[in-house]
Amino acid sequence: MAGATMDKVVSLCKRRGFLFQGSELYGGLQGTWDYGPMGVELKNNVKRAWWRANVYERDDVEGLDAAILMNKLVLRYSGHEATFSDPLVDCRKCKKRFRVDQIEPNEKCPAGGTHDLTEPRPFNLMFKTTVGPIENDENIAYLRPETAQGIFVNFKNVLDSTNRKLPFGIAQIGKSYRNEITPKNFIFRVREFEQMEIEYFVMPGTDEEWHRRWIEERVAWYHQYGIRSENLKQYPQTGDELSHYSKATTDLLYRFFPEREEGKQFDEVEGIANRTDYDLICHTKGGRTTFKDGSFLVNEHAVLKQTYFDQATNQHLTPYVIEPSGGVDRIALAFLMDAYEEQKLEGGKERTVLHLHPDLAPVKVAVIPLARNKPDMVEMAKRIKKTLQLTGRMRSLFDDSGNIGKCYARQDEIGTPFCVTVDHQSLEDHQVTVRHRDTMLQDRIAVDSLQGYLEERLR
Ligand code: ATP
């Protein structure tokens, strides 16, 4: 048995239509990836599982879908315009550019010897564009580098339209853009990605307890969907790692690089921060955006105060915020890596299988005719597929892309929990064979009971 490496997962993803390099036909665009037929299903399922757990199954979180393009003042008062940058260095020999924290000391230079690096200087990661037909500084807008700011500037709108009381949260899933200096490691670090973020507003003084509870909630969610304990770690940030506005941040680290030496195998999949009242104060009339060096910017543009009226004390206050923030792409990659297994079977055969949680699997059931040149069999398989699909509860696929062994291998590789095979006998006795992905065991089931049988096991 062998587990995943990033290279193996990349290869499977390309082979089976999960991901393709962005703009591949024209030589690609670095830091972009296109989700193929299987990838789009996986990604949608990850988002659905997150939304279900954090919005539908709780009674204290509302959803939001804010615009990607925002008034540039949003990103000025959030502090991003002045400080959303990474320190970068240039190599004088090979002319390549690196993020300071991503280059090893004495790393080999392709032009010979080791790199000859310049002093670090800041590089703003936001993509700029102009809004409207005139290109000038007045009309600049940024593609948002995180979804969070769309939530903060809508705090009052959501509060007033839902009559919420603290504590409550706002959840959002959407695209974010960062002009990363060195996009790499497949979909781990890209320039266009999706985030799933919650801003959970609490009474000051209860923030530490809620921070702890959100860390537990988020860890439990990963385990619920199949991530193994040994592959997920909590890392409380210390010292300089912590943003100046954060009281505490715990990163959840996943073992993205099992092939690396000990100590370099884990990297961030999600961060859970206690951001205090920093963001709401930044985005409030007369509020202050405070920078790391102690300087500040007074908000002269917001049209109202973003505060909360506490009926118990008859006072207006600014809530504290707990922020669980994960990237859809990184999370999908973690699920892919955890699910990946190469198995040696009896008789010397091998197979690769994705043990994805059924809720995440791109396809739940593949219906396969044993002989694709037998019209009766094909017709029966197509009818079964249609009936299952029409339930709306299981993505079903008709698969006659090869012989039965090839179909099983393909479905194992994309993580399909069940294959239903229609054979000669099925035409007579109206029974089909159901093959289970993980055990490869087979059951003979009457077509009339098939839907119930599958639903029970997919639940
Ligand atoms: P890193 O240190 O890896 O650059 P970050 O700490 O800047 O990440 P956050 O700003 O906390 O990341 O963003 C929250 C989440 O968004 C991350 O945990 C990650 O899952 C995702 N994310 C951030 N940047 C990228 C990126 N360039 N590509 C893919 N996902 C990303």
Side-chain angles (χ1 to χ4, degrees):
M1 310 285 164
T5 62
M6 182 78 78
D7 286 350
K8 287 177 183 176
V9 170
V10 172
S11 155
L12 182 141
C13 282
K14 290 182 181 169
R15 192 166 70 243
R16 292 304 184 193
F18 280 87
L19 281 137
F20 311 117
Q21 195 195 344
S23 314
E24 194 172 8
L25 187 63
Y26 290 98
L29 178 66
Q30 224 199 347
T32 64
W33 289 88
D34 296 340
Y35 283 75
M38 292 306 123
V40 64
E41 299 291 342
L42 170 67
K43 198 180 184 200
N44 284 341
N45 292 342
V46 168
K47 292 191 275 186
R48 210 171 286 130
W50 185 90
W51 194 265
R52 198 166 52 226
N54 293 301
V55 182
Y56 296 160
E57 290 175 6
R58 298 182 65 102
D59 298 316
D60 55 356
V61 176
E62 303 281 354
L64 180 77
D65 185 11
I68 292 174
L69 291 175
M70 293 182 287
N71 187 317
K72 64 173 178 287
L73 293 171
V74 174
L75 293 157
R76 177 166 309 161
Y77 286 114
S78 68
H80 284 84
E81 205 175 53
T83 63
F84 192 62
S85 55
D86 277 335
L88 66 82
V89 286
D90 290 294
C91 173
R92 294 186 186 92
K93 286 197 230 159
C94 69
K95 311 288 179 219
K96 279 200 176 144
R97 191 162 274 187
F98 307 93
R99 227 171 94 169
V100 170
D101 60 340
Q102 287 177 6
I103 183 156
E104 300 284 339
N106 300 326
E107 202 171 286
K108 281 214 174 86
C109 174
T114 55
H115 289 297
D116 177 13
L117 299 173
T118 58
E119 283 301 304
R121 59 198 166 85
F123 171 73
N124 195 300
L125 300 180
M126 289 198 294
F127 283 99
K128 262 187 205 167
T129 185
T130 43
V131 176
I134 299 165
E135 281 190 35
N136 61 22
D137 285 355
E138 274 302 289
N139 298 334
I140 282 177
Y142 301 101
L143 300 188
R144 68 179 176 202
E146 59 177 35
T147 57
Q149 298 307 323
I151 300 182
F152 293 126
V153 298
N154 276 292
F155 168 73
K156 240 347 211 166
N157 286 336
V158 175
L159 180 69
D160 293 347
S161 59
T162 60
N163 284 322
R164 282 282 178 185
K165 300 277 170 281
L166 293 184
F168 79 96
I170 304 176
Q172 175 164 230
I173 301 179
K175 290 265 185 175
S176 294
Y177 298 84
R178 296 183 189 178
N179 197 2
E180 296 279 358
I181 299 159
T182 38
K184 61 179 177 185
N185 293 322
F186 195 34
I187 49 173
F188 177 83
R189 184 174 305 288
V190 284
R191 291 183 168 137
E192 173 173 328
F193 56 101
E194 258 182 292
Q195 287 184 308
M196 306 195 281
E197 296 192 295
I198 301 164
E199 305 305 330
Y200 194 78
F201 302 97
V202 305
M203 279 296 208
T206 63
D207 50 305
E208 289 178 16
E209 169 61 11
W210 277 109
H211 188 223
R212 194 187 57 71
R213 281 165 75 166
W214 272 107
I215 296 168
E216 277 171 19
E217 289 275 338
R218 294 302 304 136
V219 169
W221 183 82
Y222 284 95
H223 292 324
Q224 181 187 344
Y225 286 99
I227 298 286
R228 280 164 284 184
S229 309
E230 66 268 26
N231 291 339
L232 192 72
K233 275 205 301 213
Q234 293 178 33
Y235 177 76
Q237 292 186 2
T238 54
D240 250 12
E241 294 166 337
L242 210 55
S243 311
H244 69 285
Y245 48 76
S246 172
K247 190 165 162 188
T249 296
T250 291
D251 286 339
L252 303 185
L253 310 182
Y254 180 74
R255 196 195 295 270
F256 284 109
F257 309 103
E259 69 284 7
R260 290 187 185 166
E261 66 191 83
E262 197 86 13
K264 295 192 172 168
Q265 297 180 347
F266 285 81
D267 212 330
E268 176 182 332
V269 64
E270 171 161 350
I272 302 149
N274 179 348
R275 298 177 66 102
T276 69
D277 51 5
Y278 177 82
D279 306 274
L280 287 179
I281 288 182
C282 290
H283 290 300
T284 209
K285 190 177 179 178
R288 279 182 177 193
T289 306
T290 316
F291 298 103
K292 201 175 175 181
D293 61 4
S295 61
F296 60 84
L297 188 66
V298 177
N299 193 325
E300 291 166 352
H301 293 89
V303 295
L304 50 80
K305 282 198 181 292
Q306 293 217 94
T307 50
Y308 173 82
F309 182 67
D310 179 27
Q311 283 169 339
T313 57
N314 251 349
Q315 279 184 344
H316 291 272
L317 58 87
T318 305
Y320 269 36
V321 176
I322 308 301
E323 180 193 74
S325 166
V328 181
D329 312 75
R330 272 192 208 177
I331 294 174
L333 180 59
F335 283 125
L336 282 168
M337 293 200 61
D338 228 88
Y340 184 99
E341 190 188 17
E342 290 169 1
Q343 293 181 332
K344 287 208 188 314
L345 307 175
E346 275 173 35
K349 284 193 177 159
E350 293 177 2
R351 73 163 183 158
T352 300
V353 55
L354 284 187
H355 300 285
L356 284 170
H357 186 289
D359 286 358
L360 303 182
V363 176
K364 317 298 177 198
V365 192
V367 189
I368 306 165
L370 188 65
R372 53 182 164 169
N373 57 357
K374 292 275 183 292
D376 288 359
M377 228 182 268
V378 169
E379 199 265 329
M380 186 175 177
K382 283 193 168 166
R383 204 163 1 107
I384 293 173
K385 182 260 157 174
K386 193 168 179 186
T387 309
L388 295 177
Q389 187 60 58
L390 282 175
T391 63
R393 288 187 287 275
M394 54 189 108
R395 168 84 172 101
S396 315
L397 199 78
F398 170 78
D399 186 359
D400 67 346
S401 58
N403 64 35
I404 190 74
K406 283 222 170 94
C407 288
Y408 285 163
R410 174 188 162 76
Q411 296 303 328
D412 285 346
E413 284 204 349
I414 62 172
T416 306
F418 297 104
C419 288
V420 170
T421 305
V422 176
D423 54 27
H424 297 91
Q425 192 67 25
S426 308
L427 300 171
E428 311 281 317
D429 64 7
H430 284 266
Q431 293 192 351
V432 287
T433 302
V434 179
R435 174 186 179 270
H436 297 236
R437 174 194 70 197
D438 296 338
T439 58
M440 292 183 288
L441 294 176
Q442 304 194 352
D443 288 332
R444 195 78 184 160
I445 304 291
V447 173
D448 288 347
S449 345
L450 183 63
Q451 182 185 327
Y453 175 93
L454 293 170
E455 278 180 349
E456 199 177 303
R457 282 156 184 81
L458 285 168
R459 205 175 294 138

